[in-house]
Amino acid sequence: GINAEYGKQWYQRRVRGKSVEKIGNVENIIYSESLAAVTFSDENMARAAVKKLHNHVFKQKIITVVISTLSLKAIKKQATPSRIIIRNLSFNVTEDILQTELSVYGSIIDLSLPRKTDGSIKGFAFVSFINKFEANRALQKLNGQEILGRKVAVDWAVF
């Protein structure tokens, strides 16, 4: 994913000046916190970008490059933060345990473990991922799995 510490302008200079424009004519670039969507004027140029850049290591991150048939509007929607709810959690679970269990699926931007007035947890958590791709991966992989001996149910949550 895109590292927010570098910022959009840094990526524009890197993407436009280095790898992508050397491959072909770039029509548009959309940036978010977690991805850059590049539109080429020709499908062959897009395929060349995938061949050259997929699984490339950049700033200690592996870049994933795919050809998408999504519209630019759909890509923007996918790039927005997305939240899931995890139910049936053990009452012994902590934020640290959840962070460890869930970080394998993507970049977590918020994790909330609601508590009762006595301080004990209510048995569910809200987790916001940096984009819908990562939230969906967590939902698909974690739903029905066990955390601290309890099978959890994972669904989309409303903000």
Side-chain angles (χ1 to χ4, degrees):
I2 289 179
N3 190 333
E5 73 183 74
Y6 296 111
K8 181 178 176 178
Q9 290 178 345
W10 186 87
Y11 281 101
Q12 282 178 321
R13 286 193 308 271
R14 293 290 296 180
V15 171
R16 288 213 178 267
K18 299 280 181 181
S19 302
V20 179
E21 284 198 337
K22 288 181 181 178
I23 294 169
N25 185 27
V26 174
E27 291 183 352
N28 191 19
I29 301 176
I30 297 173
Y31 298 90
S32 76
E33 291 181 25
S34 62
L35 66 86
V38 180
T39 305
F40 289 94
S41 60
D42 178 279
E43 184 178 339
N44 290 331
M45 292 176 196
R47 292 192 188 287
V50 171
K51 186 175 181 180
K52 181 174 182 178
L53 298 174
H54 184 65
N55 287 329
H56 177 75
V57 178
F58 178 73
K59 297 285 182 182
Q60 299 175 346
K61 299 276 186 174
I62 297 174
I63 299 171
T64 302
V65 182
V66 296
I67 293 180
S68 175
T69 57
L70 296 174
S71 67
L72 292 178
K73 183 178 178 180
I75 290 170
K76 285 180 184 179
K77 184 177 180 181
Q78 289 284 337
T80 59
S82 296
R83 186 165 80 158
I84 59 173
I85 183 171
I86 305 172
R87 296 187 312 271
N88 198 38
L89 286 169
S90 164
F91 296 108
N92 295 320
V93 78
T94 64
E95 285 88 350
D96 288 341
I97 290 170
L98 286 177
Q99 183 77 33
T100 300
E101 290 283 332
L102 297 167
S103 63
V104 298
Y105 303 114
S107 300
I108 297 170
I109 55 175
D110 186 50
L111 191 149
S112 171
L113 193 57
R115 297 183 179 277
K116 299 176 186 174
T117 54
D118 67 2
S120 62
I121 71 160
K122 293 184 175 183
F124 64 93
F126 293 103
V127 183
S128 295
F129 285 88
I130 201 163
N131 62 45
K132 193 170 184 176
F133 297 111
E134 294 179 3
N136 188 53
R137 181 177 350 163
L139 188 151
Q140 297 297 321
K141 299 281 186 178
L142 193 59
N143 191 32
Q145 299 300 311
E146 287 189 7
I147 296 178
L148 293 183
R150 293 196 63 177
K151 191 181 272 191
V152 296
V154 185
D155 290 299
W156 293 107
V158 179
F159 274 99

